[in-house]
Amino acid sequence: MRLLAILFAFALIAAACGDDDDESGGEEGTEETETGNEEESSLGGEEEAPPAEEEAPDEGEEAPPAEEETPDEGGEEEMAGGLADPAIHGEGSVEYETAALAAEAGNGTPADESLEPVLFTMANLEGDALGSFPEIREGLEIAIDQINNDFGGINGRPIELDVCVHGFDPNAAINCANEIAEAQPNLNINGIEFFTPALYPTFLGANVPTVQTVPIFVADFVQPEVISVYGGCPVAFPGGATYTMETLGLQKVVVLYSNTPPGLECYADTQERFWQYLVDNEAAGAEFIGLADNSGDPSDNDAIVQQMADFFGDSPAEETGVYFGIQASDCNEILSAIDAAGLDTTVVASGSCIDDSVLANPAATGALFGQQGYISERPDLYDDYIAWTLNYREDLLDNSDLRTAPVSAFLRVGYGIGITAWEVLTRMDNNGEDIDDPAAMVAAWQGLENQHQVGSPPVTCTDNTEEYAAICKKTLTYTVWNGTEWELGDLDGEYLSVRDIQARVAAGNPRPAAEE
């Protein structure tokens, strides 16, 4: 139970890891998600992908350019459609825009209830005092309700959703896996799940097509049959290493991570290996140290800040930096401790630090935050289609009768994965592929190229790297919090790709075989 409590403290995504998948400027932000790995925040905010590239670029790529004239916020009603461009916004963007505008105009198409339903399943952690994440389920339910009532289902076939809810009990999670295997769904969608390493043998053994929302553990990263279109820590932390040492050129970097089992696993796999590789091979003269933070325990904050100061020594402030790979509440405390100590350094944070309490802290002003998606609060930064999508999605989630949880990163990820599944399965059916065939379903997700994502750049799954075979998202950007709102910062919306550094580290500082 102690381990389970620790896992809760570490609760990700997503970004995760925050940055998954996930998604909007605060996506990972409203929740104090700590995966020591982020999920899917999305910023310019899971997930992880450059617009319309068949192969993620090694250097990064420009986000869709901001419009000189920004669209009306909430002005979807004046939009006549035709905004989506698959080359920029991904395959499925036109279909989503067309269906959503028709529904908004009262011309939605209901699914045909006389047809055989398409079964989706989900196991999700809910209803436990140690942690409950109904948001991911509710987001998916909102998407499926929209698909069945207004988007015509999967070419007429309605979607049926069967959710198995469990608490912090590995046996209960395994029972859910057994129920899902017996149901033989068309598609199983992992919710917020801390027991996936124990569930995959059941899913894979029963040929249950499974996709992820919040990848957390190494087991989530290495299963090529279990695709994640969101990023989490495999994107957030390699991106942090790239940004601090290659983009900013910092010479001394402190990497903060959570002193919990998941935090330690993520640090060893997606942080330490990457910073060490750069220090040993490419960042001449640079140094880094990792410091473990006791999550939820502010008593060690002053000691951590003192260790930072000792490590920086007499180095010029502009050559030093601290990277936060911890949960929002801990980010908030250490930011305040840094400010109180008068320590001048560059603050770079993962999306897991994006939270209302952090952004309200004056010490956060000027800090740089990783974002894997678009900023929900700044539709004016993007082209007309992205701005319309953000406004449309936020209005839908805000006003849904199915929602009881706050609008959050996890709610957006749940909605996003539902819409992606609708696009993927409809495309399969249109192409004559059998959506009732598990092998065809797995192959379709593995073969995604330039796939539209609501609230995030498109993703490609055909170029996943060796050590992160399940993770499709590979890009993120960094933005500045100016104390009042988000700014694009020095990258000006450019997305950095982690695909190249993932490949370099796999060759130069590979994961120990035992961790596979």
Side-chain angles (χ1 to χ4, degrees):
M1 291 303 294
R2 180 173 178 274
L3 171 60
L4 295 177
I6 287 172
L7 284 169
F8 168 62
F10 183 78
L12 200 338
I13 146 77
C17 293
D19 287 83
D20 214 329
D21 235 294
D22 190 258
E23 269 208 77
S24 101
E27 228 154 288
E28 282 159 75
T30 8
E31 295 289 314
E32 288 188 0
T33 64
E34 165 190 14
T35 8
N37 36 264
E38 316 189 43
E39 202 337 1
E40 237 273 340
S41 168
S42 89
L43 170 45
E46 226 172 178
E47 279 227 111
E48 260 159 66
E53 287 287 326
E54 290 185 7
E55 189 168 323
D58 289 338
E59 298 299 318
E61 93 181 311
E62 296 292 329
E67 293 289 313
E68 291 183 11
E69 295 186 15
T70 59
D72 255 348
E73 295 205 16
E76 310 89 282
E77 295 174 8
E78 290 82 27
M79 300 283 186
L83 302 176
D85 180 350
I88 298 173
H89 308 115
E91 297 298 329
S93 56
V94 171
E95 291 78 2
Y96 177 70
E97 180 190 17
T98 301
L101 289 178
E104 195 173 38
N107 299 320
T109 302
D112 185 346
E113 295 296 331
S114 69
L115 298 178
E116 180 184 3
V118 175
L119 179 61
F120 287 5
T121 54
M122 169 181 277
N124 196 44
L125 183 59
E126 295 187 41
D128 195 294
L130 292 175
S132 181
F133 303 94
E135 308 97 310
I136 202 84
R137 169 183 52 81
E138 291 188 358
L140 180 60
E141 289 173 341
I142 292 169
I144 290 175
D145 181 73
Q146 181 181 45
I147 292 163
N148 285 339
N149 290 323
D150 294 315
F151 287 11
I154 308 296
N155 280 343
R157 292 175 63 180
I159 298 175
E160 177 184 327
L161 176 62
D162 186 1
V163 179
C164 185
V165 167
H166 65 83
F168 265 119
D169 179 353
N171 292 323
I174 290 171
N175 287 339
C176 280
N178 290 331
E179 290 180 18
I180 289 170
E182 185 176 351
Q184 286 293 296
N186 295 78
L187 184 66
N188 176 51
I189 299 172
N190 281 341
I192 305 300
E193 182 55 79
F194 290 142
F195 303 104
T196 48
L199 307 188
Y200 288 139
T202 299
F203 294 150
L204 298 178
N207 294 319
V208 174
T210 298
V211 296
Q212 305 182 65
T213 54
V214 183
I216 301 172
F217 303 102
V218 172
D220 298 321
F221 311 153
V222 301
Q223 306 281 350
E225 304 89 351
V226 185
I227 286 296
S228 177
V229 292
Y230 300 102
C233 55
V235 174
F237 296 153
T242 298
Y243 186 65
T244 55
M245 289 196 163
E246 296 189 325
T247 303
L248 298 180
L250 301 180
Q251 293 299 294
K252 288 192 174 182
V253 178
V254 172
V255 180
L256 298 180
Y257 62 95
S258 176
N259 191 21
T260 66
L264 294 169
E265 181 171 339
C266 241
Y267 174 71
D269 191 72
T270 61
Q271 293 176 283
E272 183 179 30
R273 288 195 303 133
F274 286 81
W275 266 280
Q276 192 66 56
Y277 172 82
L278 291 176
V279 165
D280 290 344
N281 297 278
E282 298 178 12
E287 303 174 69
F288 90 100
I289 59 169
L291 296 179
D293 175 57
N294 294 321
S295 184
D297 179 6
S299 65
D300 64 343
N301 293 345
D302 290 340
I304 286 175
V305 173
Q306 185 59 54
Q307 290 178 78
M308 291 169 53
D310 292 342
F311 175 65
F312 294 153
D314 296 329
S315 297
E318 62 271 16
E319 294 183 2
T320 71
V322 54
Y323 180 83
F324 286 69
I326 53 181
Q327 71 176 4
S329 58
D330 297 326
C331 298
N332 206 8
E333 293 170 359
I334 295 180
L335 275 172
S336 295
I338 290 173
D339 186 58
L343 182 61
D344 186 11
T345 189
T346 300
V347 173
V348 181
S350 70
S352 58
C353 282
I354 299 175
D355 177 90
D356 289 345
S357 65
V358 174
L359 300 183
N361 188 338
T365 300
L368 300 149
F369 292 82
Q371 308 269 8
Q372 293 185 28
Y374 305 128
I375 308 174
S376 297
E377 300 85 352
R378 293 297 308 275
D380 57 295
L381 294 176
Y382 308 105
D383 66 32
D384 285 346
Y385 175 75
I386 295 170
W388 168 80
T389 303
L390 294 176
N391 286 324
Y392 177 80
R393 180 191 65 182
E394 294 304 288
D395 183 64
L396 178 71
L397 297 179
D398 280 342
N399 295 295
S400 175
D401 293 336
L402 299 176
R403 180 178 64 81
T404 64
V407 174
S408 68
F410 290 150
L411 189 80
R412 295 183 181 108
V413 167
Y415 175 77
I417 194 66
I419 296 302
T420 299
W422 170 70
E423 293 173 1
V424 171
L425 271 65
T426 301
R427 184 184 307 127
M428 287 179 66
D429 193 57
N430 289 341
N431 291 340
E433 300 172 57
D434 186 358
I435 64 174
D436 297 306
D437 177 9
M441 182 67 68
V442 171
W445 286 84
Q446 291 175 325
L448 294 182
E449 293 189 354
N450 186 34
Q451 171 60 45
H452 172 247
Q453 293 282 96
V454 176
S456 182
V459 298
T460 288
C461 300
T462 57
D463 63 349
N464 296 354
T465 58
E466 174 188 357
E467 291 191 329
Y468 300 99
I471 309 299
C472 300
K473 189 164 181 60
K474 305 172 192 72
T475 60
L476 79 169
T477 189
Y478 283 87
T479 54
V480 178
W481 178 249
N482 69 11
T484 303
E485 65 179 2
W486 295 105
E487 296 178 359
L488 292 180
D490 60 332
L491 290 178
D492 195 28
E494 177 186 354
Y495 278 74
L496 302 176
S497 172
V498 300
R499 186 180 188 279
D500 178 59
I501 194 171
Q502 284 180 355
R504 282 182 281 154
V505 170
N509 193 11
R511 176 188 298 135
E515 292 186 22
E516 302 271 358

